Amino acid sequence: MALTVLVDYDSGNLHSAEKAFQRMAAEVDAGEILVSGRPEDVARADRIVLPGDGAFPACRTALGEHGGLFEAIEESVRRQGRPFMGICVGMQMMASWGREYTDTPGFDWVGGEVTRITPSDSALKVPHMGWNDLVIDNPHPVLDGVQTGDHAYFVHSYAFRVANPVERLAHVDYGGDITAIIGTANMVGTQFHPEKSQATGLRIIANFLRWKP
Amino acid sequence: MLKTRIIPCLDVADGRVVKGVNFVNLIDAGDPVEAAKAYDAAGADELTFLDIHATHENRGTMFDLVTRTAEQCFMPLTVGGGVRTPEDVRALLLAGADKVSFNSAAVADPDVVARSADRFGSQCIVVAIDAKTVSPGKWEIFTHGGRKPTGVDAIEFARTVAAKGAGEILLTSMDRDGTKGGYNLPLTRAIADAVSIPVIASGGVGTLDHLVEGVTEGHASAVLAASIFHFGTYTIGEAKAHMAAAGIPMRLT
């Protein structure tokens, strides 16, 4: 049976992500969902999901402390080509650099850097928190059925500036463009929380579980 | 464009909704999970559970409730009431809460906000401020359900917790709470303009125009209400349509 591992590295709330992936895995017959922080589970996973809340450097450190988790993900995703989905800070980890507090290298799968949101309108609050409408930049199988104007739930103070526009699949407007979805080869990432984004989010999860890059 | 959020708040005691929720189609009007599912289906933007009799003994009931809600509602859930330590935050996050709200504990020791935000991120740390007017243009924080004055200035405290890493402020006017006379707009605006983090207006909603005013005059990023929704006076959809007609960007579903 196919196995999707939600990587647990003590960053944030995995329960709601687990329940959303379980619900959609049952619907599209995508096999088992396992929450695990063990590199050996990542190594045997058919799909990998990296959630994440909190600060970029703390998440990067936590991945490094879990007995080779960072390396296991790198091996499985980059070299074995397994489908990967990053969520929130898990998506930001795909960047070359995180500029939160200090300069921290990420997986460097998608060129660009993660920097603090600075809305052009100073009345706009940071964190960018709430529902914002997606603008699709580039079509992608994981966005099947998702349209410009659909809403997703965001909570973040830092955003991913993607170097190559082809790899930015969708953005939202918040006093300037904020990257919402990225994708390249076998990897996708969402800045928003699909597990909190009601029907739109569940559809993206289902699409990911069916995706054969 | 970011949309203004409408947040129904359920007061919970011993795992049951206090006063109940008066919707048709609810199998059990006192079951918070049933109410949460109804609000999810109705297009609420977030949901808040407030444990109003939070004691050590009944924490297990709340965790169970949060877990069962997170299994069925794929929308943001904030939980407050009796949260004292970063360990309490962790336990509620693990149960399935998305945000956790501090109240009295943050007044007693604002550093608990910093310790929690450092560990779990600002995005999940809410500070609930209950304020009362003490003189024109001056508001003081009260704890213990509005009974205990603290001598702490509400605006200063809002600035403090924002600097300590709170991601959001849930501001309740104790003067207005339960009156249906509308939010305390000068208080809401004073706090919203004093901090760079989002402020949720709470306390006093009786009409849909009150929701509009909370945003246009109070500068709130989100509006919280309880009884007007629970008792079926207005639906979430009616509230959103009314706010959208007033020119406020809303997520219409």
Side-chain angles (χ1 to χ4, degrees):
Chain A
M1 190 161 69
L3 174 69
T4 298
V5 166
L6 265 61
V7 181
D8 179 7
Y9 57 114
D10 295 332
S11 171
N13 168 21
L14 289 180
H15 183 84
S16 50
E18 179 188 12
K19 293 301 163 193
F21 276 84
Q22 278 174 350
R23 161 86 69 105
M24 298 327 284
E27 228 166 79
V28 304
D29 200 17
E32 185 192 352
I33 305 294
L34 175 69
V35 173
S36 170
R38 296 163 37 144
E40 50 270 40
D41 287 330
V42 169
R44 69 187 178 95
D46 300 293
R47 287 171 199 278
I48 294 159
V49 178
L50 185 69
D53 281 326
F56 192 108
C59 287
R60 175 63 188 86
T61 302
L63 279 176
E65 282 170 352
H66 275 67
L69 205 41
F70 188 89
E71 291 72 19
I73 295 170
E74 177 78 16
E75 167 68 26
S76 189
V77 177
R78 177 110 87 177
R79 282 184 280 282
Q80 308 282 337
R82 311 260 165 80
F84 172 94
M85 183 173 186
I87 297 174
C88 200
V89 181
M91 168 266 218
Q92 296 180 352
M93 279 292 136
M94 298 161 74
S96 317
W97 289 97
R99 307 291 189 194
E100 188 170 357
Y101 300 128
T102 174
D103 293 338
T104 310
F107 283 110
D108 194 21
W109 297 337
V110 172
E113 56 181 21
V114 176
T115 59
R116 186 159 176 90
I117 300 171
T118 49
S120 57
D121 176 356
S122 61
L124 293 175
K125 306 275 184 167
V126 176
H128 170 228
M129 182 184 291
W131 296 85
N132 206 328
D133 50 321
L134 301 170
V135 178
I136 308 291
D137 297 310
N138 291 295
H140 191 278
V142 170
L143 300 184
D144 181 42
V146 178
Q147 298 165 12
T148 290
D150 287 348
H151 286 85
Y153 187 81
F154 292 80
V155 189
H156 62 124
S157 300
Y158 286 75
F160 194 156
R161 293 169 187 266
V162 178
N164 181 352
V166 172
E167 296 178 326
R168 191 180 80 174
L169 304 183
H171 72 276
V172 295
D173 174 49
Y174 192 62
D177 285 7
I178 302 264
T179 299
I181 309 174
I182 58 172
T184 187
N186 55 314
M187 311 151 190
V188 292
T190 66
Q191 177 64 65
F192 56 86
H193 287 265
E195 76 280 14
K196 290 285 139 195
S197 296
Q198 293 177 336
T200 299
L202 294 176
R203 179 178 277 272
I204 288 170
I205 290 171
N207 289 341
F208 171 72
L209 291 170
R210 279 186 295 222
W211 183 35
K212 294 189 171 65
Chain B
M1 183 189 282
L2 191 70
K3 304 305 188 291
T4 297
R5 290 167 281 153
I6 293 188
I7 308 173
C9 177
L10 293 161
D11 284 355
V12 176
D14 303 320
R16 304 284 295 171
V17 183
V18 176
K19 293 185 209 160
V21 173
N22 187 19
F23 293 151
V24 284
N25 303 331
L26 278 194
I27 298 163
D28 176 356
D31 180 4
V33 180
E34 283 288 318
K37 280 162 66 181
Y39 279 125
D40 188 15
D45 296 309
E46 291 187 24
L47 205 58
T48 293
F49 281 167
L50 192 59
D51 190 350
I52 60 167
H53 293 157
T55 59
H56 187 66
E57 296 74 45
N58 71 13
R59 293 313 269 172
T61 316
M62 195 63 184
F63 293 150
D64 174 61
L65 196 60
V66 171
T67 300
R68 287 192 293 126
T69 304
E71 278 168 3
Q72 299 179 62
C73 295
F74 299 104
M75 66 188 296
L77 174 65
T78 301
V79 181
V83 179
R84 315 225 154 268
T85 64
E87 278 313 308
D88 293 339
V89 175
R90 177 176 159 77
L92 283 166
L93 292 177
L94 286 176
D98 299 293
K99 301 187 232 178
V100 175
S101 175
F102 280 103
N103 189 330
S104 321
V107 180
D109 173 21
D111 280 333
V112 76
V113 175
R115 292 200 303 277
S116 302
D118 285 349
R119 195 158 152 206
F120 308 107
S122 290
Q123 82 292 330
C124 67
I125 304 299
V126 180
V127 174
I129 297 180
D130 296 341
K132 263 189 199 175
T133 309
V134 287
S135 63
K138 190 141 178 67
W139 301 276
E140 185 178 325
I141 304 224
F142 280 66
T143 56
H144 300 79
R147 294 188 305 275
K148 194 173 156 194
T150 62
V152 177
D153 180 75
I155 298 175
E156 257 173 53
F157 181 70
R159 286 206 181 99
T160 301
V161 294
K164 300 248 180 225
E168 193 168 45
I169 286 171
L170 165 54
L171 175 66
T172 302
S173 160
M174 302 308 289
D175 303 309
R176 296 303 184 95
D177 206 24
T179 64
K180 298 195 187 297
Y183 297 120
N184 185 330
L185 298 173
L187 165 68
T188 307
R189 186 166 55 229
I191 302 273
D193 290 353
V195 296
S196 64
I197 56 176
V199 171
I200 305 168
S202 159
V205 174
T207 70
L208 298 183
D209 282 332
H210 293 154
L211 301 176
V212 172
E213 291 163 5
V215 178
T216 56
E217 294 177 42
H219 299 176
S221 298
V223 288
L224 180 141
S227 53
I228 62 160
F229 297 133
H230 300 338
F231 301 139
T233 319
Y234 302 103
T235 65
I236 299 287
E238 285 166 352
K240 287 190 166 185
H242 189 85
M243 293 175 77
I248 298 171
M250 302 301 295
R251 181 180 69 116
L252 303 171
T253 48

